[in-house]
Structures are given as C-alpha cells and as structure tokens.
Amino acid sequence: MDQSAPRPATTDRPFDVERVLAELTLAEKASLLSGLDFWHTQPVERDGETLVPSVMVTDGPHGLRKQDESADHLGLGGSVPATCFPTAAALGSSWDADLLRRVGEALGRETRTHDVAVLLGPGVNIKRSPLCGRNFEYFSEDPVVAGDLAAALVDGIQSRGVGTSLKHFAANNQEADRMRVSADVDERTLREIYLPAFERVVTRSQPWTVMCAYNKVNGVYASQHDWLLTTVLRDEWGFEGLVVSDWGAVRDRVAGVAAGLDLEMPSSGGRTDAQVVAAVRAGELDEAAVDAAARRVLQLVARSLPALRSTGAEDDSFDIDAHHTLAREAAAAGTVLLKNEPVDGAPLLPLAAPADVAVIGELARTPRYQGAGSSQVNPTRLDDALTALREAAGTDLPFAPGYTLAEGPADDRPADELVAEAVATARGAGTVVVFLGLPAAYESEGYDREHLDLPADQVALLTAVAAANPRVVVVLAGGSAISVSGWRDAVPALLVGWLGGQAGGSGIVDVLNGAVTPSGKLTETIPLRLEDTPSYGNFPGELGHVRYGEGVLVGYRWYDARRMEVAYPFGHGLSYTTFAYDDVAAQVTGSGADAAVRVQVRVTNTGAVAGAEVVQVYVGDPVAQVQRPERELKAFAKVPLAPGASRVVAFDLDARDLSYWHPVLRRWVVEGGEFVVAVGASSRDLRAQVSVDVDGEDVTLPLGELSTLGEALQHPVAGPVVRAGLDGATIDPVMLAMATDMPLAVIADFGLAGLDRGALGQLIEAANG
C-alpha cells in the first residue's frame, strides 16, 4: 500500500541565507528565535511576500507523531497514522547499525511524506538508573552502543532529506523534577559517560539539530549553558546545526541566545522575542549573537525546502506494508533470549510443536508496544502475539488472560478465578508461553518507576502456572530492566521483547517458532535488586539536586568494580546456535595521542542453524592515576554466520579508546603502560584477552605549594632534588610515610627535605619549566 500526502505551496525562488539575513530587521530576526505555535517555526512576511517560510518539526523518535492544531500535544489525539517501530530499548538490543540505518531511512521517508522538516529524535541519554521512566526512549547504559546506533539512525533519517534532533543535551537521566533539577556531576564523569554518545553522533553524522534538556547541569539550566552549547558542542565537536530547546525548557531567553540556544519551542506568543530585542537595544546582548542564532534558523529552513518543494519524487510516499515488515524484522532482532534451559532433554525454544502450545497472559492479546508520553505513535496496524501464534500454528491455540490490564478488555472476574482458568488451560499443554510485563502506567515520560518488580498478580499467576506445567516460556514486555530474581528459577526459558512497536507481536513469534534465530543482546544490566544499582541512594535526588555520586561507575562498570552478581550482565543474549572465538590478537601502532590498537578475532558458528553473534571488545587499564573501570566497551560488530562458517573480524581502536579525561590536566590522556583487551559475548562472558603495552603521553602534573611530598617525589624534575634532601636527613620511616601526603608548603615550613619557602619556590619554578 502506498501512502502520500499533498505538498504545501512554496515559492521556487532560491533561498539565500545571507541575503535574507541581511534584509531582516532586528525584530524579524528575534521572531525567528521562537516557534510560531507548538510545531512550526515562525515565518517572516512583509508586504504580502514570504521572506522566510515556516517549517514543521514533530515528535519521534521511533515513529512520526504529527498532530493537527487541535490535538492534545502529548497523547494520540489527532496524530496521523504512521509506522510505530520498536522503541530505542528494543532497537538498541539489536546491536545492528545496518538495521538502524534502514529503520532511519523508513522514518525519514514517512517524515518527508508528511511535510515535516525535522523528526525529534533520537534520544541518547544514558540509562543511569533502571527506574528512569523514559528509559524506553534511550538505547543503553553505555555511550559506545548508544552513540554508534544513534549515528546510524540519524544517517538513515537524514539521507531522505529531512533532519533529526539529537536529545536531550545533557545529563537528562530522570523524569522526577526534570524541569528544575540540577544534575550535579563532575567533568570527568560528564566527559566519559554522559557526553560521548552525543559526541559520536555529532562528529560522525551532524544531526540537523540538537535539543537541549530541561534540567540544570551543575546549577545552570541546559538551555542557557554556554559551556555545553558553545564550548563543547560547537567549539570542540564542530557542531554545524541548530540548537533547539526542549518544549518549555527556556528560563532566561536572553541568556539562552548568548549561550548558543537558537530556537525556543514552542511559541512564547512574542514575549521572549520582545525580550531579545530589548536586551540588544539596552546593550545587554550583542546583536551578533542574535544574527548567529537567526542564521542557524535560516539554514535549517534552507535545508528543509528541497524536500518540501519536491513533488512526485521517490521519497514523497512510503510503502506501509514494507515498513510494517521492517518493523517486524527490527522487533525480532531486538528480542533478547535470556534463558533457554533443557526440559526433558531439549531446550524449550524454538517451539518444537507450535500447535501444542497454551498462551497465557493478557499482554499476548493486548500488546504493550510503545511507551507513554510525547513519543506515542498512532500505528498503521497492530500485531498481537496471540493472533500471530495462532496463525503460525494453524490452529486456535487455547488462551487465558490470567490478569487484567487497564487498556485491555473489561473483565470483572476476581483474580483467583483468572488464575484458576489459566492453570486449567496450561495443565494439558505441551508448552506454555506466558506473556508478562510492565503495565503502561508503570513507565512513562514525566515520572519515574517506583520499583523494578512485575505486578504481584502477574507473579502469582506465573507461580501457579509453573506449578501446573514446568514447560514454561516467559515473554517479558517493558521499556527497561525488570527484576526477575524472585521467579526466574521457576521457568526454563525467558525472552525479553521490550516495547517492540506495532509488529512486536509477530516479531516475538518469529523468535519463538525459530523463523528467526535470536541475536539480541542486553544494552543494560539486569540487576538482582534495586539496592544493587549504581545510583541507589543518589536517585532521583532531593531538594532540587541529584548527585551523581557513582561517578564513572555506571551500569556494568559498577557491578564489575564491586565483583557483584547480577541477574543478567550487559551484553548477554543467547542464540539457537553456538559460537566459538579463537585467534584473538592485538597489535599496537603509534604512541601517545597517535596510539592505535588493531584487534582481530575469528568467530565460528559451531551450531546447526544460521545465526548472528554480537562480538564485543572491552579495554581495561589496570594502573592509572585515576580509578578506571575494570573494563569498558570500545567496539562491537554483529556478525551473521551460516552453520560451520567462520569470519575474521577486525576492530581499529584509536587513542581515545585508551584514554580517560584527566581531571587536573582537563584533557583526554593516554597514560602509558599495560592495557588489557578482552573479546567476548558479554561483559561477563569474555572468551579471550590479551595484554598490550602502549607508550603514553606525558601526564606529569604541575607542581605547586599544595602539591604533596609524594607527588614531588614522583616528579621527573623535582623528584631527584627532594629525594636528595631526604637522604641527607634522618627521618623515621613512620614519619616519612605520614609526610608523604603533606603539602610541600608544610614540608618547607617544617624544614624537611632541605626545603624552605625560598627553595620551594625555586623548585616549583624549575619543575614547571
């Protein structure tokens, strides 16, 4: 089926950004810096002529949510039908950049068909806590996965002549108090965890826009954060596009213009436009800052016009059926097989006898396929797993809901009656597939989850069904990690389908039946308990502040540092086949900032069916001036292999992959020495590792009066001088150990190490060259 939309009337006159900018008055330029309404940029019209046309932006990120002017802006009201692809939690679990590029192309095609200039997504915020209510819109707890997959999605969308909006910049990792809270986080943690995904997308794919977050970062609202919006984003990363506010994120429009916020959304009704004009006329804001912001708005309009003016082009329509098929492929690819233990001598999955299956759980009939909030899509169609299972089996499989959902059919029966019906349905079946998951009210934009548990009625249902029939497969639906600790031992097989989009029901069934061999892997750790999570005690903060006390130890970095058991580790995911790793090698070239490591591994499909393995490369730096995670993901590749086939996979790591952000030198550094390169199937399933020696950079710290004696002893210039002074004195070893952490000023005042204040000044000057 082909879907197309009428094209808007636009002038064919070439749009010259610099010419138009030069023609605009100050008031007209200021008017460009806020929206016309909820979804459109402001036009500039003069004497019946449109100098600057208006363009439309609208929500994503996993589907187009284009609403009319009377819509509610947050729900489904008035939204055009569009393909609802799997959410980022599911897409990320595919670890498949090629797939995300193809999904992006489809999203771009639908965006263009409906005359939208920018699709607002993707989101690359890190899953700091599994409680974040918007985690379904984000890819991972790791910035490499999030950044690489988001870059592929951006490439796909923008290849169709429409733009993206990378969001939410930055440190937007919770919904609680999201419009005011200050994320209090040190620079090293920002640089290593919360900014790199944005950096990877900006430097590789140049999204047309970046959306600033609601929250403050270290006390300054992101919408007026000069260091974030200008120093880092533009000066360091070379961002060429427009910065747009999240809807309602602006607190001080004049400060925002000065900091680098170009476009405020939605409309302020002219209020903030007038503030900008007044600030310029009062000498409080340089008109050059207004020009810079207006120029970027004009550049966005100029980039949008070719698609808006096209008629009859290939990208001006889309194939609804083909996009649904792609959504089904993506849902299956993001499904993660967590567990598949033998029962009666063989694993339960894939289903050996699809016709001998009982289906339990309302979520099989009433799928939860997307999250709540601004990303809700009105799907072109909707598959449910119950129908798909029955179609695959060719028979009317028995079904019992087992529990109720607010969005499901009305059922006034008491819970014990629903469970009794489910037990009776399950008792005689060859295999029971139980669909469980988080109800829609459990997770949403705007608020966070209160716990990690399934509803109690679902757990009670599962316990009763498993007691009646041990051949149980559980399929989980949800946008983030769900606690499985209390019940996973009762079930031999466990699949996570996340929020799989409009074709999620069929995609899950493709995996259950073996039409698709599962290849999804977790992009977030599933912990044993909420209390084990890295941000526990610091999330969501209090009194307007949230302290990022775990620092760089986020996700698997935290669990590995503490040698903690987890339910399922980052990167984990089983298959219907098996893979062997051998011939792992790593070769170093260059040194310091030019250091590089080429990693190679041969992967072999040792099973009987075709499958794809996600090969993961981790790097550890055992000895450094700062605490570093035990290992960090630095590269990955999804490798499809036929039975018995092998492939040599190569990864090229650069100096950045070996570096950390030095909190004193305030730059990325490669500290020389041993690095451990590990290759495996998850963060805890490392098949081989090799050690390499890297010649690093000079990371000598500058000396000052408050530098310690120990630091002076390690300094290449000061060390010999101080050591000689100590050798000439008789100092008790205990006293010397105590003095190691004393500032040099105190050492000089005590007359130790042959130093006085004059000698100390000369020593510092010589050391710092």
Side-chain angles (χ1 to χ4, degrees):
M1 185 184 300
D2 203 32
Q3 177 151 328
S4 60
R7 317 305 303 178
T10 58
T11 176
D12 291 329
R13 179 183 178 186
F15 192 83
D16 185 327
V17 168
E18 294 304 322
R19 177 189 59 79
V20 172
L21 182 63
E23 291 180 5
L24 298 179
T25 66
L26 172 61
E28 289 169 337
K29 289 185 290 188
S31 74
L32 292 175
L33 308 190
S34 66
L36 171 67
D37 50 31
F38 216 81
W39 300 118
H40 296 83
T41 62
Q42 290 207 55
V44 175
E45 297 175 346
R46 189 193 300 162
D47 300 327
E49 179 185 5
T50 299
L51 298 182
V52 182
S54 173
V55 298
M56 185 177 190
V57 303
T58 197
D59 278 322
H62 57 271
L64 182 72
R65 192 176 75 90
K66 180 182 178 181
Q67 296 181 291
D68 62 31
E69 293 306 310
S70 62
D72 60 5
H73 304 308
L74 294 177
L76 286 169
S79 181
V80 301
T83 308
C84 181
F85 287 94
T87 63
L91 290 175
S93 297
S94 74
W95 297 65
D96 190 335
D98 177 69
L99 173 65
L100 267 81
R101 189 172 293 105
R102 289 188 287 125
V103 169
E105 290 170 356
L107 287 169
R109 204 179 282 272
E110 296 194 22
T111 301
R112 179 168 177 161
T113 296
H114 287 286
D115 304 322
V116 172
V118 177
L119 187 69
L120 300 175
V124 293
N125 296 103
I126 295 300
K127 299 186 182 186
R128 178 180 178 236
S129 168
L131 293 179
C132 176
R134 209 170 183 178
N135 273 353
F136 61 87
E137 281 194 58
Y138 304 138
F139 291 99
S140 180
E141 68 187 28
D142 182 87
V144 169
V145 179
D148 286 4
L149 295 182
L153 193 68
V154 168
D155 287 343
I157 294 171
Q158 296 191 168
S159 72
R160 302 298 99 182
V162 297
T164 58
S165 195
L166 186 67
K167 61 185 188 181
H168 307 88
F169 190 63
N172 178 191
N173 307 107
Q174 65 190 62
E175 294 301 283
D177 202 20
R178 63 174 176 160
M179 290 190 173
R180 302 181 307 171
V181 73
S182 175
D184 297 340
V185 52
D186 65 272
E187 185 176 6
R188 182 184 167 211
T189 299
L190 277 172
R191 295 281 191 172
E192 293 190 21
I193 302 295
Y194 297 103
L195 297 184
F198 290 96
E199 180 183 6
R200 291 172 98 88
V201 180
V202 167
T203 57
R204 297 179 183 187
S205 303
Q206 282 292 344
W208 286 15
T209 76
V210 168
M211 183 188 296
C212 78
Y214 285 121
N215 52 279
K216 301 170 191 166
V217 179
N218 295 321
V220 180
Y221 280 105
S223 60
Q224 57 200 60
H225 206 301
D226 177 81
W227 181 79
L228 278 176
L229 304 185
T230 296
T231 302
V232 173
L233 181 61
R234 290 195 168 102
D235 297 345
E236 295 184 16
W237 298 349
F239 177 59
E240 299 170 356
L242 172 145
V243 176
V244 59
S245 74
D246 203 340
W247 269 231
V250 173
R251 294 295 168 267
D252 184 331
R253 188 65 189 106
V254 174
V257 173
L261 176 68
D262 304 308
L263 176 61
E264 174 189 9
M265 289 297 287
S267 171
S268 71
R271 175 179 54 84
T272 59
D273 304 346
Q275 291 172 358
V276 170
V277 172
V280 171
R281 289 176 175 165
E284 298 167 355
L285 178 65
D286 191 338
E287 188 169 355
V290 177
D291 288 348
R295 178 180 289 108
R296 295 185 189 114
V297 175
L298 294 174
Q299 288 170 340
L300 176 66
V301 171
R303 299 176 91 172
S304 306
L305 289 179
L308 295 175
R309 287 172 173 165
S310 65
T311 56
E314 178 189 1
D315 287 324
D316 293 336
S317 63
F318 68 95
D319 186 327
I320 291 177
D321 295 334
H323 284 194
H324 185 78
T325 299
L326 177 59
R328 179 172 179 168
E329 177 190 349
T335 297
V336 182
L337 178 61
L338 295 178
K339 183 179 182 180
N340 194 22
E341 295 181 351
V343 179
D344 301 327
L348 287 187
L349 295 177
L351 297 171
D356 192 16
V357 168
V359 184
I360 306 295
E362 183 57 51
L363 282 163
R365 179 173 62 181
T366 306
R368 218 187 131 225
Y369 59 98
Q370 64 178 330
S374 63
S375 66
Q376 289 186 95
V377 176
N378 185 12
T380 58
R381 69 188 64 167
L382 182 60
D383 294 352
D384 66 86
L386 176 59
T387 301
L389 277 166
R390 285 171 168 170
E391 289 177 350
T395 187
D396 193 24
L397 298 177
F399 167 74
Y403 55 84
T404 59
L405 294 173
E407 53 274 20
D411 195 330
D412 296 329
R413 289 179 293 170
D416 58 352
E417 187 175 326
L418 291 171
V419 171
E421 178 192 44
V423 168
T425 303
R427 186 170 284 121
T431 302
V432 185
V433 182
V434 183
F435 288 80
L436 307 175
L438 302 180
Y442 270 44
E443 53 184 344
S444 170
E445 177 184 354
Y447 58 87
D448 294 320
R449 294 164 65 186
E450 297 180 358
H451 54 75
L452 300 182
D453 301 328
L454 287 173
D457 61 344
Q458 293 189 24
V459 176
L461 167 70
L462 177 61
T463 301
V465 168
N469 189 332
R471 297 177 60 84
V472 173
V473 178
V474 168
V475 178
L476 281 180
S480 187
I482 297 171
S483 177
V484 299
S485 305
W487 50 264
R488 64 173 169 157
D489 290 343
V491 300
L494 175 57
L495 274 171
V496 181
W498 309 107
L499 302 180
Q502 68 179 52
S506 296
I508 279 285
V509 171
D510 287 341
V511 174
L512 289 171
N513 287 338
V516 173
T517 298
S519 60
K521 302 269 190 173
L522 293 176
T523 61
E524 56 192 287
T525 306
I526 299 181
L528 290 173
R529 310 178 309 154
L530 175 62
E531 291 82 359
D532 294 339
T533 57
S535 61
Y536 185 77
N538 288 324
F539 179 97
E542 54 203 9
L543 302 177
H545 291 265
V546 53
R547 186 173 67 91
Y548 283 50
E550 66 280 5
V552 298
L553 299 180
V554 175
Y556 64 90
R557 295 163 169 83
W558 170 271
Y559 301 105
D560 288 349
R562 283 155 180 74
R563 305 290 193 271
M564 294 175 69
E565 289 189 23
V566 298
Y568 294 103
F570 174 86
H572 171 74
L574 303 177
S575 175
Y576 296 153
T577 187
T578 53
F579 299 93
Y581 291 62
D582 56 22
D583 296 340
V584 175
Q587 182 179 7
V588 178
T589 57
S591 63
D594 296 319
V597 181
R598 168 155 264 234
V599 182
Q600 287 188 299
V601 58
R602 185 174 67 174
V603 185
T604 303
N605 183 343
T606 53
V609 298
E613 174 69 328
V614 177
V615 182
Q616 302 161 43
V617 178
Y618 295 85
V619 174
D621 183 5
V623 179
Q625 290 183 2
V626 299
Q627 181 186 24
R628 300 199 68 181
E630 179 136 336
R631 65 185 65 90
E632 297 181 275
L633 182 78
K634 294 301 179 182
F636 64 91
K638 193 158 194 175
V639 184
L641 292 168
S646 295
R647 179 177 157 190
V648 174
V649 188
F651 303 89
D652 290 309
L653 309 182
D654 59 19
R656 178 66 178 272
D657 295 317
L658 309 174
S659 300
Y660 63 88
W661 180 264
H662 200 294
V664 177
L665 300 177
R666 296 198 65 225
R667 62 179 175 87
W668 293 101
V669 300
V670 177
E671 188 172 344
E674 178 192 15
F675 288 82
V676 178
V677 179
V679 181
S682 83
S683 61
R684 297 262 173 113
D685 183 8
L686 304 174
R687 304 297 178 86
Q689 65 181 39
V690 293
S691 293
V692 294
D693 288 320
V694 177
D695 291 332
E697 303 172 70
D698 180 9
V699 291
T700 302
L701 301 182
L703 282 188
E705 289 187 348
L706 294 182
S707 297
T708 65
L709 176 63
E711 291 167 346
L713 286 170
Q714 295 174 9
H715 194 279
V717 175
V721 176
V722 175
R723 197 169 292 108
L726 290 173
D727 290 344
T730 302
I731 301 178
D732 179 83
V734 175
M735 179 63 180
L736 180 60
M738 185 175 71
T740 300
D741 279 341
M742 284 184 178
L744 291 174
V746 176
I747 296 293
D749 289 344
F750 285 0
L752 299 176
L755 293 176
D756 56 23
R757 285 286 181 155
L760 176 58
Q762 294 174 1
L763 179 67
I764 290 173
E765 184 177 359
N768 294 335

